[in-house]
Amino acid sequence: MEKDQYLTVTALTKYLHRKFSADPYLNRVYLTGEISNFRLRPRHQYFSLKDDGAKIDAVMFQSAFNKLKFNVEDGMKVLVVGRVDLYEPSGNYQITIEKMEPDGVGALYQAFEQLKAKLATEGLFSAPKRPLAHFPKRIAVITSPSGAVIRDIITTTRRRYPIAQLVLFPAVVQGEKAADSLVGRLKEVNARGDFDTIIIGRGGGSIEDLWPFNEEKVARAIFDSQIPIISSVGHETDTTIADLVADVRAATPTAAAELATPVLEDEILRIKQDKLRLIQSYQAMLKLRRQQLQKLKNSYVFMQPNRLYEGYLQKLDGYQNRLKQAYREQLYQKEKVFSELTMRLQRSSPKDTINLHKQQVVQLKKDLFRVAEKYVGDREQRLVKATAALDMLSPLRVMGRGFSYVTADEKIIKKTSDLSVGSEIKLHLSDGSVKAKVTKIDGMKKK
């Protein structure tokens, strides 16, 4: 074969793409399968649909995916509507999904259950409910102005509690704009802040008709309301997210009005009964107080007031007698102690002690003189002995026996070597001194 008979991959892919695009059976395909490899992406979603025998790639663009009422999960079995095409860059065929809903369960019901589980986890259903005002002055009604709901509420309220003021806040209760309309009205009523109760609701319908009351934004607006809310959506068998979040759920609009208002005639009758019971109770209390007053009037305190303090006078006399007796007893004890102390003082007079101490002083003085004389005598004897011993050692006593000592220039001469011939010396004798001059020196010869 010639080379020009060979197709490029691109040419073949384009040809197959045109075949897919032109096939009328592939432009609208209804397919069921299990979602596989799903991972939520910021814009377009890419995943697979599979069953036990095959798998096909799927793409769902952002515009179609945002319309889904439920959360897509991996492994979910779904029903899809789309067109089958060939993706040229990879050569893989895929289905572009335009609509999708859970297989076996409606999409809205699936979304309802998912949102219900989410809000329950956050505690919006189990949070403490706000109590309804027992005697409301103003009631805000958020509903359609043309439906039977507002007429039923007006009729019931006028019949039961005509003094309450009803204020209608018209809202869209069905369709794509309903959720934003309901949220706006709830915020408006709360911003005004002069209402005691809010009734929000609509008449019955399909789940699609009631869907705005299953929107997350509506549920959170009801939860954030500072005013108690009664939800009355659909018939008695219908239950919406709004019913679960609201403070009170009413089966019908009439029931909502009955929950919001008391029966005025019953309240008036109850007030009259309370008034009668109050009067009877007051009369019984007044009768009892009068009996107590009469009893007090007949008491001896008022009839003979002097009897009130007779007992106190007797006690006072007794206390005075006891005080006098205690004073006498204490005075007697003090006098007794004083007498004992006086006798002890007389027995232990200091005069004898002073005389005894005087004699002791005289004797001590004599002993002192005797000791002093003996001490002085001993010291005189010791002085005499010391003087004699000193005299024995005196050089004058030695010189008296013929000895003398020589000095030259006021220095004592001990050796001949300290003198020279012609030196002047001084001889010290026992009775005076003599000056002389050395004429000859005879020294001892050294051996």
Side-chain angles (χ1 to χ4, degrees):
M1 294 182 65
E2 296 182 2
K3 186 176 179 180
D4 56 358
Q5 293 179 343
Y6 289 87
L7 294 174
T8 63
V9 175
T10 302
L12 177 61
T13 304
K14 287 183 178 291
Y15 175 78
L16 293 175
H17 175 66
R18 285 197 297 270
K19 285 291 185 181
F20 274 87
S21 301
D23 192 332
Y25 295 104
L26 298 180
N27 282 333
R28 192 72 172 177
V29 177
Y30 296 83
L31 197 64
T32 179
E34 181 181 318
I35 294 178
S36 177
N37 297 325
F38 178 81
R39 179 172 59 85
L40 186 65
R41 292 173 170 82
R43 297 181 61 206
H44 312 308
Q45 307 303 318
Y46 301 92
F47 51 94
S48 302
L49 289 178
K50 68 177 183 177
D51 55 20
D52 294 336
K55 181 177 73 170
I56 183 175
D57 291 338
V59 59
M60 195 169 188
F61 294 110
Q62 185 177 10
S63 57
F65 186 78
N66 289 342
K67 295 179 181 179
L68 295 181
K69 302 295 185 181
F70 63 98
N71 294 330
V72 178
E73 299 175 357
D74 205 38
M76 180 182 290
K77 196 170 184 181
V78 293
L79 301 172
V80 301
V81 179
R83 55 185 174 83
V84 178
D85 199 355
L86 185 85
Y87 185 57
E88 293 185 35
S90 64
N92 295 331
Y93 83 98
Q94 64 184 18
I95 181 170
T96 302
I97 299 174
E98 299 171 356
K99 294 182 180 180
M100 181 167 60
E101 65 180 28
D103 187 7
V105 181
L108 293 180
Y109 180 75
Q110 180 76 17
F112 173 82
E113 290 299 328
Q114 290 175 348
L115 179 59
K116 180 179 176 182
K118 175 183 178 182
L119 298 183
T121 303
E122 294 183 17
L124 268 68
F125 302 154
S126 59
K129 304 298 184 180
R130 293 173 289 265
L132 298 178
H134 189 66
F135 300 106
K137 295 180 180 179
R138 305 188 74 202
I139 301 173
V141 181
I142 302 175
T143 187
S144 173
S146 59
V149 174
I150 186 61
R151 292 195 298 272
D152 292 344
I153 292 175
I154 292 174
T155 301
T156 304
T157 303
R158 286 179 178 175
R159 173 174 53 84
R160 290 171 56 88
Y161 200 67
I163 62 176
Q165 181 185 4
L166 288 176
V167 179
L168 173 64
F169 287 83
V172 179
V173 296
Q174 183 175 332
E176 295 181 356
K177 298 181 180 180
D180 293 333
S181 177
L182 294 171
V183 172
R185 286 305 192 182
L186 284 169
K187 291 182 179 179
E188 180 182 354
V189 175
N190 276 272
R192 292 182 58 170
D194 54 352
F195 289 92
D196 302 307
T197 307
I198 298 175
I199 298 176
I200 184 171
R202 58 154 289 155
S206 64
I207 187 172
E208 290 82 3
D209 296 336
L210 303 180
W211 188 252
F213 294 90
N214 290 322
E215 293 277 1
E216 182 175 357
K217 63 178 71 175
V218 176
R220 295 194 182 279
I222 292 175
F223 183 79
D224 293 337
S225 174
Q226 301 300 315
I227 303 172
I229 295 179
I230 301 174
S231 176
S232 176
V233 181
H235 300 296
E236 186 172 357
T237 56
D238 297 323
T239 301
T240 63
I241 298 294
D243 294 331
L244 299 175
V245 180
D247 299 291
V248 179
R249 176 183 181 268
T252 62
T254 300
E258 290 176 350
L259 290 170
T261 59
V263 178
L264 183 59
E265 294 179 356
D266 293 345
E267 296 300 326
I268 293 175
L269 178 60
R270 188 177 295 109
I271 291 173
K272 291 180 179 179
Q273 292 174 348
D274 291 342
K275 178 181 178 181
L276 179 60
R277 284 196 296 268
L278 181 62
I279 292 174
Q280 291 174 349
S281 176
Y282 178 76
Q283 289 175 345
M285 183 181 66
L286 186 61
K287 181 179 178 180
L288 178 62
R289 293 292 186 267
R290 285 175 177 172
Q291 292 175 354
Q292 293 175 345
L293 178 61
Q294 189 61 38
K295 183 178 180 180
L296 291 174
K297 283 183 177 181
N298 295 333
S299 175
Y300 72 89
V301 175
F302 296 101
M303 303 297 293
Q304 297 176 340
N306 58 322
R307 292 178 57 185
L308 182 64
Y309 53 86
E310 287 178 351
Y312 294 104
L313 292 176
Q314 293 178 358
K315 288 184 179 181
L316 180 61
D317 292 340
Y319 290 147
Q320 288 179 344
N321 292 332
R322 288 169 59 185
L323 179 62
K324 291 179 180 179
Q325 183 65 27
Y327 176 73
R328 293 193 189 97
E329 181 67 23
Q330 188 175 15
L331 182 61
Y332 172 75
Q333 294 294 335
K334 297 297 183 183
E335 290 177 349
K336 183 177 179 182
V337 171
F338 178 73
S339 299
E340 292 178 356
L341 293 175
T342 302
M343 294 178 62
R344 287 175 58 187
L345 182 62
Q346 292 176 353
R347 287 195 300 269
S348 59
S349 176
K351 185 177 180 181
D352 296 337
T353 303
I354 292 173
N355 293 332
L356 178 60
H357 288 170
K358 285 182 177 181
Q359 294 176 2
Q360 291 177 349
V361 169
V362 172
Q363 184 63 37
L364 290 173
K365 186 183 292 185
K366 291 179 180 180
D367 294 342
L368 179 62
F369 286 142
R370 184 174 62 255
V371 171
E373 290 175 354
K374 185 176 181 302
Y375 179 81
V376 171
D378 292 341
R379 291 296 184 268
E380 287 178 350
Q381 291 179 4
R382 291 177 61 184
L383 179 61
V384 170
K385 291 179 179 180
T387 302
L390 183 61
D391 185 57
M392 291 295 293
L393 298 175
S394 174
L396 296 176
R397 189 175 182 84
V398 175
M399 294 173 66
R401 294 198 299 270
F403 290 94
S404 65
Y405 65 93
V406 180
T407 61
D409 298 330
E410 302 298 332
K411 295 182 179 180
I412 297 175
I413 303 302
K414 296 179 180 180
K415 296 182 292 183
T416 57
S417 59
D418 294 334
L419 297 174
S420 61
V421 177
S423 299
E424 290 185 357
I425 60 174
K426 189 176 183 178
L427 299 175
H428 295 272
L429 304 175
S430 60
D431 58 350
S433 59
V434 177
K435 289 183 178 182
K437 183 180 288 187
V438 176
T439 59
K440 183 180 180 180
I441 298 174
D442 294 329
M444 293 180 65
K445 296 180 178 180
K446 297 181 179 179
K447 294 181 179 180

